Amino acid sequence: MIGVVPAALPGPLPWLTTTFPDYLVWVVIAAFVATAALERYDRELARTVGAGAWVLFGLFWGVLFPRFAFEMRSFIEGTLSLVAVPLCVYAGYQLYSGRIRCSSCPAASPRWDSSTSPS
């Protein structure tokens, strides 16, 4: 006998797969915007906030896994969302340890003078 698939995962925490990702994505967006704004004034604080934003972004993908894998039955999206979790955490670690520099940092952009400028 074939049963009907429920619209949401049953269990004690149905909000975890329905409304929580919607709120979490706005927190993540705000953290990334705060990182961009803070970078101009305090790079150390911006780096810490940016690393936290990447970890939250990884949490966002982890929370979406049950929706993709079980509700939508898309195992490709479910697998990719699980792969995104450690990649986002690793990006946050790289940013926090100082190995990633953004393109707006003066140290990351090449300095052009008359001898190296394109003609």
Side-chain angles (χ1 to χ4, degrees):
M1 183 169 154
I2 298 175
V4 177
V5 177
L9 289 175
L13 300 174
W15 60 271
L16 188 64
T17 59
T18 55
T19 58
F20 182 66
D22 296 335
Y23 294 125
L24 182 61
V25 74
W26 286 110
V27 172
V28 170
I29 290 170
F32 279 122
V33 169
T35 301
L38 285 171
E39 182 189 3
R40 187 167 220 179
Y41 303 105
D42 188 0
R43 262 193 206 157
E44 292 298 318
L45 181 60
R47 190 167 63 183
T48 304
V49 172
W54 276 108
V55 171
L56 285 174
F57 195 46
L59 177 67
F60 168 74
W61 286 115
V63 168
L64 284 181
F65 168 73
R67 180 182 292 173
F68 288 142
F70 303 121
E71 288 182 28
M72 296 172 54
R73 294 182 184 241
S74 174
F75 293 107
I76 293 174
E77 288 175 319
T79 302
L80 290 175
S81 67
L82 280 182
V83 168
V85 174
L87 291 176
C88 289
V89 172
Y90 183 68
Y93 166 74
Q94 291 291 317
L95 180 64
Y96 187 74
S97 66
R99 294 184 185 155
I100 296 177
R101 294 185 182 181
C102 62
S103 61
S104 63
C105 300
S109 59
R111 296 179 186 225
W112 294 98
D113 59 10
S114 60
S115 64
T116 60
S117 64
S119 48

